[in-house]
Every structure is written in structure tokens, then in C-alpha cells.
Amino acid sequence: MPPIPGSGLAKGLAVTLRTMTKKTVTAQYPDVQPDLPPRSRGVIALFEENCTVCMLCARECPDWCIYIDSHKETVPAAVPGGRERSRNVLDRFAIDFSLCMYCGICIEVCPFDALFWSPEFEYAETDILELTHERDKLRDWMWTVPEPPALDPAAEEPKEIAAARKTADKLRTQREQEAAEREAAAEAQNAVGQETAGQEAADREGTQEGQE
């Protein structure tokens, strides 16, 4: 059966009429801010106090958009006669977000928790050079990093916590055993002392009776 002329137009108008009666779901950005998921990848923040200049993030970055400069300083010995130590001091930490592809590898490989995801994404610039954020600006993004989500009560206990609890229980049991052994030794010593004192008292009484 051939299609009725104008049926396609009628169907399209029907869809339009149904849609016109529904509430709009389009967020009118920037008038309406989007509701971002908790693990959104906006911008990378730096907590420089945790950075040890290990260079792992810069070496693992596939875009080579992380620039780090540092120098070494000598730390005097903590105790007299001790050995001096050297440590790396961070001079520059910058990320070029015009090159960054937001893979998150730098955050994953950082062993000291110095890099974090921030949900902030409104940092567009008219000059591409302004997209290179130095460490001061990266530090400012730290105040926008959300707190980590609460642990799921039904989740499995982390292995680190389980191992720490096992070690603590072992130490507690060891201390209790040592305390019980010390208490038993003290009681045995008291018993020996009382027995010795009783024997000495009996010997004194026997001596006095012999003299009389």
C-alpha cells in the first residue's frame, strides 16, 4: 500500500506538538551551572608540600605538558656527629593545559598524593599562553578539590587497614602475654619471699627455744 501523501509531515508535526508540551531539559549554560559527577576531570591541582620532585608525573605524561625545575639543598645533620643529607627543592611546576589531554596518568602515578582532580573547568583564555598554569595557580585550584567520598559500609576492608589491624592485634597480644608473664614472675617472687621469711622466722623461734 503506497504511503498516504503528507503522512510524514503529519508525523513530524505530531512529534513537535508532543515535545512542545513537555518541560525543557536543556541546561542554559552559563546561566545554569551543570551538575557535574563527583569524579569529573576539570583541572589538575597541585599540593606542592607533598611534591618530592621525583619527576614521575613528567616522565609518564604522554603529551609532555608538565614542566618541573628544582635544585638540591644540603640539610644539616639532625644530631651532632650525624651525616648531612641533600633534598630536592621545587622551583617550578607548570602544566600546559593547551596540550593536556586529561588522561589523569600524572595523578595516578604520583606516589605522594601531590596532584588532584578539581571539577573546575571554567578557565578558558583568549591567549593560549595563559593556559600554562604555574605552581601558584595550580595551588589555588586545590581549594576547589572536593573531599573524598565516604567509604561504602558494605565494601571490603582495604588490605592496608586489615594488615595494620592484624599487626596491632599481634602487638597487643604480645604485650598482654608479657604483662601476664611479669605478673606471674612477680607473684612467684612474692611467694618465694614469703616462704623465705617464714623459714627465717621459724629458724629464729627455734634458736630462741634452744637458748631457753
Side-chain angles (χ1 to χ4, degrees):
M1 180 178 177
I4 302 174
S7 60
L9 178 61
K11 290 180 180 179
L13 291 175
V15 172
T16 303
L17 291 173
R18 285 199 305 270
T19 307
M20 288 175 61
T21 58
K22 293 181 180 179
K23 186 178 180 181
T24 179
V25 294
T26 303
Q28 300 298 328
Y29 179 82
D31 297 329
V32 179
Q33 292 294 321
D35 187 13
L36 299 175
R39 298 178 67 183
S40 298
R41 299 184 177 188
V43 70
I44 298 173
L46 170 68
F47 189 57
E48 61 180 273
E49 284 79 1
N50 286 355
C51 181
T52 61
V53 201
C54 65
M55 305 293 290
L56 272 176
C57 55
R59 287 200 296 265
E60 296 296 331
C61 177
D63 293 329
W64 291 88
C65 63
I66 300 177
Y67 312 113
I68 300 175
D69 292 330
S70 66
H71 69 278
K72 287 187 178 293
E73 285 186 356
T74 302
V75 180
V79 295
R83 189 178 63 178
E84 294 182 345
R85 304 179 66 182
S86 63
R87 67 184 181 93
N88 290 323
V89 179
L90 184 66
D91 292 329
R92 185 194 184 202
F93 195 110
I95 299 179
D96 187 353
F97 286 102
S98 66
L99 299 177
C100 178
M101 65 179 184
Y102 303 89
C103 63
I105 293 177
C106 57
I107 297 175
E108 296 295 330
V109 300
C110 179
F112 301 105
D113 290 335
L115 297 173
F116 297 86
W117 277 120
S118 167
E120 297 294 326
F121 62 92
E122 297 178 317
Y123 51 93
E125 301 288 349
T126 56
D127 187 356
I128 194 173
L129 297 178
E130 297 297 327
L131 286 175
T132 301
H133 293 187
E134 298 292 337
R135 68 176 185 173
D136 294 336
K137 195 167 185 178
L138 294 174
R139 176 58 184 267
D140 290 339
W141 291 120
M142 272 301 302
W143 311 118
T144 64
V145 174
E147 294 183 1
L151 297 177
D152 186 356
E156 218 176 284
E157 186 179 46
K159 294 180 180 180
E160 296 82 1
I161 296 178
R165 182 176 287 106
K166 184 177 180 181
T167 304
D169 293 341
K170 185 177 180 180
L171 291 174
R172 189 185 305 109
T173 304
Q174 185 178 355
R175 291 194 188 100
E176 291 175 354
Q177 290 178 352
E178 291 175 354
E181 290 175 358
R182 286 196 299 268
E183 187 176 353
E187 290 178 356
Q189 187 175 1
N190 290 335
V192 171
Q194 291 175 0
E195 184 178 353
T196 304
Q199 185 65 35
E200 291 177 354
D203 292 343
R204 283 196 300 270
E205 289 179 0
T207 303
Q208 289 176 0
E209 289 178 357
Q211 290 177 355
E212 292 175 356

